């Protein structure tokens, strides 16, 4: 029997569903409690704790895969980083970097080290490239390629996915102990199948070998095909559990609360070249989601 979709959730929901998972520091003690008996004085209030999350970072580095590179958003089989949800300069996207740093600041103090085709095993090396920039915020979107394999049996094991993510976070913390990290969930690949399969062109493009573990034979609804898609979906959900859990162990890390996974995208948000990657409009929607979470103050 299939397990519920949101397993072991520390705080339920996503920003788009009016909730956000965020990691907080310990509450301060003190205040105006009485001093020791007989002193006639009150204890001095302790200083306010420094928030674990700064909603106005001054620099940003993006790491991840083809989604963050804007692959197939502008032209076929090409990266288009100018429309990246994280660091793009295109006004129609209004990227996270532009929203946080302004257009000039984004051009000068944001960098995109994501790599098309990257899997979680590649994240530590991307972090190593990012560290010399000393960013105040690191965005992470990765994991779709770990599930999109030739067959479901070839998907990255969950334990390996966790170990590689932990290695990347450890490497970041060794060099930048206070850099903030924003981690997005892996997108809903089953929704991608259900949306794209209604488009004849999309189905033809998928035959070229796009995410066959989920998208192969899109019109086949046999038990075996259904079980294959369910296995991929459950693996994506397990990856998101890992991202949530590892991020929750770091007070300077904020997970998106499954906001990207839960986003109800349609064909307008899909590339018209591959019906898999986000279109320019899809990149803009990702930028909106990210900004709503990253800019939330407190915690």
């Amino acid at each position: 029997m299939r397990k519920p979709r949101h397993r072991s959730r520390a705080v339920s929901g996503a920003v788009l569903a009016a909730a956000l998972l965020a990691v907080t520091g310990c509450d301060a003690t003190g205040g105006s409690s009485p001093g020791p008996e007989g002193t006639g004085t009150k204890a001095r209030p302790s200083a306010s704790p420094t928030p674990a999350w700064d909603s106005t970072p001054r620099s940003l580095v993006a790491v991840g895969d083809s989604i963050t590179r804007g692959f197939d958003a502008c032209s076929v089989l090409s990266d288009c980083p100018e429309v990246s949800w994280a660091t793009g300069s295109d006004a129609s996207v209004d990227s996270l970097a532009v929203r946080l740093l302004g257009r000039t600041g984004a051009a000068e103090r944001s960098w995109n080290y994501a790599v098309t085709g990257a899997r979680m095993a590649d994240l530590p090396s991307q972090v190593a490239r990012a560290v010399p920039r000393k960013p105040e915020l690191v965005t992470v979107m990765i994991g779709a390629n770990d599930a999109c394999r030739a067959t479901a049996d070839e998907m990255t094991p969950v334990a390996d996915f966790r170990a590689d993510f932990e290695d990347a976070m450890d490497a970041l913390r060794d060099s930048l102990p206070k850099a903030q990290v924003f981690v997005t969930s892996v997108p809903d690949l089953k929704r991608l199948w259900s949306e794209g399969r209604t488009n004849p062109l999309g189905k033809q493009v998928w035959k070229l070998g796009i995410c066959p573990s989920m998208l192969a034979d899109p019109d086949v609804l046999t038990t075996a095909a259904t079980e294959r898609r369910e296995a991929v979906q459950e693996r994506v959900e397990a990856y998101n559990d890992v991202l949530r859990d590892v991020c929750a162990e770091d007070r300077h890390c904020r997970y998106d609360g499954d906001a990207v996974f839960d986003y109800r995208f349609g064909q307008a948000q899909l590339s018209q070249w591959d019906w898999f990657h986000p279109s320019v409009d899809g990149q803009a929607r990702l930028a909106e989601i990210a900004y709503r979470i990253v800019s939330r103050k407190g915690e």
Side-chain angles (χ1 to χ4, degrees):
M1 182 176 178
R2 188 182 175 196
K3 297 181 180 179
R5 180 158 64 85
H6 297 302
R7 299 184 295 274
S8 63
R9 186 188 298 273
V11 178
S12 62
V15 167
L16 298 182
L20 170 68
L21 177 67
V23 183
T24 64
C26 297
D27 292 334
T29 59
S32 58
S33 57
E37 185 176 356
T39 63
T41 62
K42 295 182 179 181
R44 180 174 298 174
S46 57
S48 298
T50 301
W53 191 261
D54 179 4
S55 60
T56 57
R58 292 170 294 181
S59 57
L60 183 157
V61 163
V63 294
D65 56 26
S66 54
I67 295 177
T68 300
R69 291 298 299 175
F71 186 81
D72 267 3
C74 303
S75 58
V76 65
L77 299 179
S78 299
D79 287 349
C80 189
E82 57 265 34
V83 300
S84 168
W85 66 272
T87 61
S89 58
D90 192 291
S92 63
V93 172
D94 199 12
S95 70
L96 178 64
V98 170
R99 293 171 189 244
L100 291 173
L101 310 176
R103 195 161 300 281
T104 300
E108 297 174 347
R109 301 190 304 279
S110 71
W111 304 272
N112 191 326
Y113 291 123
V115 177
T116 293
R119 301 200 291 263
M120 183 58 83
D122 301 307
L123 192 63
S125 63
Q126 292 185 23
V127 167
R129 293 183 62 201
V131 161
R133 295 291 187 179
K134 298 182 179 180
E136 294 189 4
L137 175 66
V138 178
T139 69
V140 180
M141 177 181 280
I142 199 165
N145 291 322
D146 292 271
C148 284
R149 310 304 301 153
T151 67
D153 290 339
E154 295 179 46
M155 293 186 294
T156 302
V158 176
D160 293 350
F161 188 90
R162 179 183 293 273
D164 290 329
F165 187 38
E166 289 176 338
D167 286 347
M169 289 294 292
D170 288 345
L172 180 66
R173 288 297 168 236
D174 285 345
S175 300
L176 301 173
K178 294 184 179 180
Q180 298 185 145
V181 183
F182 169 61
V183 179
T184 80
S185 47
V186 180
D188 186 343
L189 297 181
K190 190 174 182 181
R191 180 172 180 81
L192 182 68
W193 164 75
S194 66
E195 286 292 315
R197 68 188 291 263
T198 63
N199 185 285
L201 176 60
K203 289 188 291 186
Q204 289 300 313
V205 173
W206 288 351
K207 290 180 180 179
L208 299 177
I210 297 176
C211 196
S213 56
M214 175 62 79
L215 303 180
D217 303 317
D219 290 327
V220 176
L221 301 176
T222 62
T223 299
T226 299
E227 289 178 347
R228 165 173 57 83
R229 296 182 192 110
E230 289 299 320
V232 176
Q233 188 73 346
E234 289 180 2
R235 185 61 57 89
V236 168
E237 292 164 4
Y239 292 161
N240 285 338
D241 286 343
V242 168
L243 297 173
R244 179 188 307 111
D245 294 346
V246 173
C247 189
E249 296 173 358
D250 187 316
R251 71 187 303 265
H252 295 293
C253 185
R254 180 173 283 188
Y255 179 62
D256 77 352
D258 285 357
V260 169
F261 180 90
D262 287 337
Y263 176 60
R264 308 297 289 174
F265 59 83
Q267 292 189 20
Q269 285 76 52
L270 297 179
S271 164
Q272 304 302 292
W273 285 282
D274 64 19
W275 299 91
F276 177 83
H277 290 91
S279 63
V280 173
D281 184 73
Q283 291 284 346
R285 303 292 81 75
L286 290 173
E288 289 175 357
I289 292 170
Y291 181 71
R292 291 173 66 180
I293 298 171
V294 171
S295 65
R296 179 164 175 166
K297 298 180 180 179
E299 297 144 350

